[in-house]
Every structure is written in C-alpha cells, then in structure tokens.
Amino acid sequence: VGHSRRHHCRFKKYGSGKLAGDMRAGATFAACALPHLLLRTAPPCVGRPAMLSYAVRPGEVDQAALAAVYARFPVVADLAEGYVKALLKYNEGTNIYSQGAYGKLPFHIHDSLTLGALIARAPGSVVDLGSGSGLPAVLVALSNPGVSVWSVESKGRKTAFLRAVAAELQITNLHVLTINIVELSRAQAFDVSYVTAKAFKPLNEVIPLARKAIIARARLLVPVSEPQIAELAGQKVLDPATDLERIGEFTYFSRDIDASDRRLGRTVVPAVHLLTDGGGGES
C-alpha cells in the first residue's frame, strides 16, 4: 500500500474476559513481523464460496473451511475464532448475519483477515463504513492492535454486538459509532489513513461517501469481485491497471482519495460527544 502517515486516529469535530486475556496473551508479536505472519503461504488458501470443496447445507457453517482460514493467520487465529463463535451465538437470538449465508462465512472471514493483513503492511488508523456485524472492522482491528479502528454502523442491534464482542475479546482499539455515515459526515470528519467498506454500497457511491467522511487524504480499500471489476471498469469507476490490489484469491479496490471540497463550506453543528476513551466504547 505504501501509505503509513499516521498510526493513530484523530476524530475532527466541526463546531465544537479471561478468555480474551488468554487470547491476547497468545497474540503478542513484533509489529514488524505481523504482515509476514498474517500472510504466510501455507497451508493452501480457501477459495471463494462456490469453489469450496466442502458440502454445506444452507444455515450451516463449514467448520473445516473456517479451520483452514484460521491456520493461515496464526497470530490472530484464536481471536478470529472467538469472534466467529460470539457472532454465531449472538445471532441465535438477534439477527445480525443471515443464517442462510453461513456457508459463505469462511470466505468473508478470510477476506476480512486478508484486508487486515494488507493494512498491517503499512499500519494506520481506519474508519470502516457500514460495519454491519463486524466484517471487516473487528478483524481489521484485531489484526492491527496498535492503531485505532472506527466502526460506523447505523443499526443499533449490530453495534450492540460489536461493543459486546470488543469487550469480550478485549479489542481495545475498536471504537463503535451508532450513526448513519451520511448524517455523521455533515458535521464530523475522520483523520485516518484508511477507509474500508465491505458489502456496504456500490463502489461509485462509496467513493463520494468516503471523501465526505475524511478530513485529509486517505486510502480507500474495498473488496471487489472479478464480475464487479469488469462492470466498474466499463463504467469508468475504476482503472484495473492502477486501482487494484490482489492478494491470493482476493482483490481490493485501492486508491488514495482526497477529502471532499464541500467540507470547507459545512455548517457548524454542536458537538454530539460521539467518542469515548475506552476501546469498544459507545460513541
């Protein structure tokens, strides 16, 4: 990526577990070694959902595929597994992830961990737009414990889970905001190195939203599929020669974006006290 101007996030306002301890203890590592450990080449990569060799009925989670994903990310494997277990348990009572899509969960975990490893090559603070049930925000945060990750999600039932799992796994660098990004960006802006968005909105809508959400230049990283690449290239939304980062089975739209010029004319609104000092705290 080659983009590492900040390791910590400043949030600009216009106008005014024992289990977790055991996991975290096992995840101590030298920061310089993290990208290499996260992206080690063996065992073989788990492919996209249609390519998985396991027979999984709708509503079931392919535990063998998940185990293969965890094996590729040994530094954070225990924490990633803890997140998945918490997600499945929470989802039994509150719908935050479609049970009919459980067969695709290993792919999305792998995709999010790969994105976290990509950011770990040049660590910097992150804002994730439309975080949903935590993919990729939670896994980016646990893959990059030295930087702040802001999770922006409008649905309270989902942010309740995000705060709960951040507390349980002691992911102290994850900060959760229950607010619509459009509403937030009218008066607030993030000073971050990266903006991420997975399964949020079409890329041609994500780019302007991301520009409005930041105060200075940042790198936008969005997972894209091959069919999406062909369509977006035809629409002149991306240039396959310059806007793509490929890692194994996964491809990410990757472009430096500048803050929207409209920000200079924003109406000043009172501070809403969105942030707290505690990791995973309500904002």
Side-chain angles (χ1 to χ4, degrees), residues 260-280:
S260 172
D261 291 338
R262 292 180 57 198
R263 176 154 307 287
L264 298 176
R266 287 298 165 84
T267 302
V268 175
V269 299
V272 194
H273 302 295
L274 288 178
L275 302 182
T276 65
D277 293 331

Side-chain angles (χ1 to χ4, degrees), residues 201-203 222-235 238:
K201 290 180 179 293
L203 183 59
V222 179
V224 289
S225 66
E226 294 302 325
Q228 287 174 329
I229 292 169
E231 180 181 358
L232 292 167
Q235 297 171 351
L238 64 74

